[in-house]
Amino acid sequence: QRNLSAKEILGNPEFLAISYGGYRKPTRDIQPTIDELKEDMKLLAAMGIKILRTYNVQLAHASNVLKAIHQLKEEQSEFEMYVMLGAWID
């Protein structure tokens, strides 16, 4: 398991990033399950994505993304995914 700093990750072309929201319904009130998030993480990892940026911190989305990644790392020690919390400013 690697412990990398933000300096080592950000701007590194080996760490592809995507803005992510795992919603499957037309409302954020219906949160994706951890199993659904894990499905997404597996697909994104297969595409080479290693960094997820999410702006969805009001509900359980961000914490569930972290739980999903943690579970995947427990299941597959080589799984590598990082989360960047974004801030939306109006």
Side-chain angles (χ1 to χ4, degrees), residues 9-10 13 16 19 23 31-32 35-36 39 43 46 48-51 53 56 62-63 66-67 70 76 79 86 89:
I9 295 172
L10 299 177
L16 297 178
S19 182
Y23 299 100
Q31 296 286 297
D35 284 338
E36 289 172 334
E39 288 175 4
L43 290 170
I49 304 295
K50 292 186 180 180
I51 304 172
R53 181 176 57 244
N56 305 311
S63 62
L66 292 172
K67 288 175 188 174
H70 180 74
Q76 307 167 13
F79 187 82
I89 301 171

Side-chain angles (χ1 to χ4, degrees), residues 7 40 69 81 89:
K7 182 178 179 182
D40 289 354
I69 291 170
M81 185 83 57
I89 301 171

Side-chain angles (χ1 to χ4, degrees), residues 2 4 8-9 12-17 48 50-51 80 82:
R2 301 194 300 177
L4 300 175
E8 294 170 299
I9 295 172
N12 184 333
E14 293 180 25
F15 291 87
L16 297 178
K50 292 186 180 180
I51 304 172
E80 185 175 25
Y82 303 91

Side-chain angles (χ1 to χ4, degrees), residues 4-76:
L4 300 175
S5 69
K7 182 178 179 182
E8 294 170 299
I9 295 172
L10 299 177
N12 184 333
E14 293 180 25
F15 291 87
L16 297 178
I18 193 168
S19 182
Y20 172 75
Y23 299 100
R24 286 160 170 74
K25 305 294 180 186
T27 175
R28 291 184 181 187
D29 294 331
I30 302 171
Q31 296 286 297
T33 67
I34 292 178
D35 284 338
E36 289 172 334
L37 294 171
K38 286 170 65 175
E39 288 175 4
D40 289 354
M41 301 302 116
K42 290 176 187 178
L43 290 170
L44 292 168
M47 296 168 49
I49 304 295
K50 292 186 180 180
I51 304 172
L52 303 178
R53 181 176 57 244
T54 184
Y55 296 91
N56 305 311
V57 296
Q58 294 86 2
L59 299 172
H61 187 268
S63 62
N64 284 343
V65 166
L66 292 172
K67 288 175 188 174
I69 291 170
H70 180 74
Q71 287 180 16
L72 286 169
K73 286 184 177 189
E74 286 181 339
E75 296 167 11
Q76 307 167 13

